[in-house]
Amino acid sequence: MRNLAAIIVFLLLLVSCNSNEIYNQYQPIENYKWSSENKIQFLINNTDTISSKNVFINIRNNNKYSFSSIYLIGNIEFPSGIKVIDTLEYEMTNAEGKWLGTGFTEIKENKLYYKENVVFNEKGDYNFTIQQVTRSINDVEGKNPLQGITDVGLSIEKE
């Protein structure tokens, strides 16, 4: 019986570990209200200028999030000062309105591709910034603050 329990624990640990993950951090959103002025920043030191990587934006939301998608501005500043800025749209629900994220409670986690198969060819600090710019139809100013976002994260995995 002890051997079976040890094997189960070992298998769970093996399955839960992602050996390709090289970075994974979250920042909580105060009161679950993400202001468009609140740019979420992640500073990452890169020493690997050869390996391909996938970069993900991770969004945790609760049931107070009232949109079927989310609009973001992603900004990467390279060590040399070069900036790459992207306007991004991600679906948060399917056509029936069911959350696409994972999770058993009211908090859903969405792992969203930001950059695929990218090589960071400069050594040094990369500054990633994520800003929400979600708005309703005919809403010029945007939804501010955006309710129901609990955490914003960034993860990087080797290919």
Side-chain angles (χ1 to χ4, degrees), residues 13-30:
L13 288 173
L14 185 65
V15 170
S16 67
C17 294
N18 183 350
S19 62
N20 291 334
E21 188 174 85
I22 57 174
Y23 183 85
N24 189 7
Q25 293 293 319
Y26 282 86
Q27 292 189 23
I29 301 300
E30 188 175 346

Side-chain angles (χ1 to χ4, degrees), residues 15-150:
V15 170
S16 67
C17 294
N18 183 350
S19 62
N20 291 334
E21 188 174 85
I22 57 174
Y23 183 85
N24 189 7
Q25 293 293 319
Y26 282 86
Q27 292 189 23
I29 301 300
E30 188 175 346
N31 299 319
Y32 308 149
K33 295 178 182 178
W34 189 8
S35 165
S36 61
E37 293 83 23
N38 181 11
K39 297 178 183 179
I40 309 300
Q41 293 190 348
F42 301 93
L43 188 64
I44 300 164
N45 185 272
N46 180 56
T47 58
D48 179 357
T49 59
I50 298 171
S51 301
S52 295
K53 298 171 184 76
N54 292 322
V55 181
F56 300 91
I57 294 174
N58 303 309
I59 303 286
R60 290 182 183 143
N61 67 283
N62 63 24
N63 291 333
K64 291 187 179 175
Y65 187 74
S66 60
F67 294 93
S68 62
S69 59
I70 190 166
Y71 291 86
L72 305 171
I73 294 178
N75 184 343
I76 305 171
E77 185 174 348
F78 288 67
S80 64
I82 294 172
K83 291 182 181 181
V84 176
I85 301 171
D86 297 294
T87 302
L88 309 161
E89 177 187 9
Y90 297 105
E91 295 299 317
M92 300 291 279
T93 66
N94 64 16
E96 291 79 38
K98 183 177 183 219
W99 295 115
L100 296 175
T102 60
F104 296 109
T105 65
E106 81 162 11
I107 304 290
K108 301 300 178 199
E109 183 160 355
N110 301 274
K111 185 175 182 178
L112 312 168
Y113 268 102
Y114 177 31
K115 297 288 183 184
E116 281 185 85
N117 198 23
V118 64
V119 176
F120 295 109
N121 57 3
E122 296 178 21
K123 286 187 178 183
D125 291 334
Y126 284 75
N127 187 15
F128 290 79
T129 305
I130 304 165
Q131 178 183 12
Q132 73 87 2
V133 289
T134 302
R135 58 193 68 224
S136 301
I137 295 174
N138 299 323
D139 179 11
V140 177
E141 298 299 316
K143 190 68 174 167
N144 200 17
L146 185 60
Q147 297 209 23
I149 302 297
T150 63

